[in-house]
Amino acid sequence: MSNTEYEVIIIGGSYSGLSAAMALGRSLRKTLVIDSGKPCNEQTPHSHNFLTQDGKSPKEIAESAQKQVSEYETVHFHKGKATDAKKSENGFKITTEKGEKFHSKKLIIATGLVDEVPDIKGFKESWGISLIHCPYCHGYEYKGKKTGIIANGDKAVHISSLVKNLTEDVTILTQGKSNFTEEQMEKLKRNNIQIIEHEISELKHDNGIVESIIFSDHTEMKFEAVYGAFPFHQHSDIPKNLGCEFTEFGHIKTDQFQKTNIPGVFVCGDNSSMMRSVSNAVMTGNVAGAMVNMELVTDCF
């Protein structure tokens, strides 16, 4: 094989992509990892709820993972952004934003998601630090704190039910008229959860650590942590352009082995799972790598 031809190309070199690469490296598969170096959690200070790595920074975990994967001589890395993937006669042709072209028999897409954080003062600076998305990933660190939840309807009820186990001081911020059923309102009332319907105009913070929220009526309320249930979109258009199917929530649809509806295309990590965590990304990447190796074995054995 030339230095542009591989058995497997992995687009995305964060946790799931590196996990897939390790599985393939251990099976001596010539593998290329293409990564732009822009993970969605790059400003998150600490990662949690992952055995042996609890409390480490995402960057520290990723650097350690890449170092370990680099020990496998058949795994190669290319820094860049893959912008296009097309089916070819014997697999796939991948093109980067610089026009570089690579070929592979199989393709793993581990490109993650992009959170559509509202364009409100203080939100982007605090996202992943004290404006957080997951009680399992960050909730313990804010146990007992005065906590806000920016969400409405079913999503707000779901998050508040999880957060209520961590703190007694929970307020839902609906960003407009609330949208709860009578049964949901009764549950929220029973659990002493306040609802504020005013729109948010600013999140005051100190280097990403939330201090208070200012509302459109100029009132201000102090908080120590805020959960945000924001929309997202896929980090890459490649799965859509290849014809991959998506779930109603916007994730790439897979079977239990991370295989998509497109032959030879597997996906892993946040782009295909509602469970957004480092541990889940590593698990799905490991499965994808093993299943791709199995397909390669089946193709030639």
Side-chain angles (χ1 to χ4, degrees):
M1 292 184 186
S2 71
N3 59 0
T4 62
E5 295 181 350
Y6 295 86
E7 291 179 284
V8 187
I9 287 177
I10 301 171
I11 302 177
S14 192
Y15 313 109
S16 61
L18 290 171
S19 181
M22 177 173 281
L24 290 161
R26 291 183 61 80
S27 293
L28 300 181
R29 296 298 180 183
K30 188 179 180 184
T31 302
L32 178 67
V33 180
I34 302 175
D35 183 60
S36 62
K38 295 291 183 181
C40 68
N41 63 356
E42 60 182 332
Q43 73 176 29
T44 301
H46 303 286
S47 174
H48 294 283
N49 209 25
F50 183 15
L51 281 173
T52 76
Q53 305 298 315
D54 191 49
K56 291 184 179 179
S57 71
K59 182 180 180 181
E60 185 181 2
I61 298 171
E63 288 178 346
S64 175
Q66 183 166 343
K67 182 179 179 181
Q68 291 178 2
V69 174
S70 297
E71 295 295 321
Y72 296 94
E73 64 271 17
T74 61
V75 179
H76 307 267
F77 294 88
H78 179 80
K79 187 172 183 179
K81 182 178 181 181
T83 55
D84 187 53
K86 286 185 169 59
K87 287 279 286 184
S88 63
E89 183 178 350
N90 298 313
F92 301 90
K93 180 174 72 175
I94 311 302
T95 305
T96 71
E97 61 184 350
K98 292 183 178 180
E100 301 148 314
K101 298 186 185 301
F102 302 95
H103 302 265
S104 67
K105 296 177 182 178
K106 306 291 180 181
L107 179 62
I108 297 177
I109 303 173
T111 43
L113 301 172
V114 177
D115 295 297
E116 297 173 6
V117 180
D119 189 18
I120 296 173
K121 186 176 180 181
F123 271 45
K124 290 181 181 178
E125 295 86 349
S126 304
W127 183 236
I129 301 173
S130 62
L131 176 58
I132 51 183
H133 79 285
C134 175
Y136 294 106
C137 297
H138 307 291
Y140 182 84
E141 282 61 48
Y142 291 100
K143 64 184 184 298
K145 304 293 186 181
K146 185 173 179 58
T147 301
I149 298 172
I150 303 173
N152 205 344
D154 294 344
K155 192 72 172 178
V157 174
H158 172 67
I159 297 174
S160 61
S161 68
L162 296 174
V163 174
K164 190 63 168 58
N165 192 55
L166 299 168
T167 178
E168 291 294 325
D169 198 337
V170 180
T171 302
I172 293 176
L173 315 172
T174 58
Q175 285 277 67
K177 186 173 177 56
S178 60
N179 181 26
F180 300 111
T181 66
E182 288 186 16
E183 182 182 359
Q184 288 173 334
M185 286 294 292
E186 178 58 33
K187 282 185 177 180
L188 297 174
K189 183 179 179 181
R190 187 169 67 246
N191 284 281
N192 298 315
I193 295 175
Q194 183 181 358
I195 300 170
I196 295 179
E197 296 180 318
H198 299 304
E199 292 189 2
I200 297 170
S201 59
E202 181 182 350
L203 186 153
K204 293 178 69 175
H205 66 96
D206 181 13
N207 291 320
I209 304 299
V210 64
E211 295 178 338
S212 64
I213 284 180
I214 301 175
F215 298 96
S216 56
D217 65 348
H218 306 296
T219 58
E220 184 172 352
M221 192 171 185
K222 290 188 178 298
F223 288 99
E224 296 171 280
V226 178
Y227 289 84
F230 305 131
F232 63 82
H233 62 264
Q234 291 285 329
H235 192 267
S236 172
D237 291 329
I238 288 175
K240 179 181 177 181
N241 294 339
L242 282 171
C244 292
E245 293 180 358
F246 290 80
T247 71
E248 61 180 308
F249 301 107
H251 300 97
I252 305 168
K253 189 180 292 186
T254 76
D255 65 9
Q256 61 181 323
F257 301 120
Q258 304 303 129
K259 187 175 183 178
T260 71
N261 61 300
I262 304 301
V265 178
F266 291 71
V267 298
C268 52
D270 290 354
N271 64 12
S272 51
S273 175
M274 295 180 68
M275 292 292 293
R276 295 182 63 179
S277 68
V278 174
S279 56
N280 188 66
V282 170
M283 183 275 290
T284 56
N286 182 263
V287 171
M291 292 303 104
V292 166
N293 180 65
M294 192 68 247
E295 278 204 354
L296 290 167
V297 168
T298 302
D299 290 346
C300 66
F301 187 74

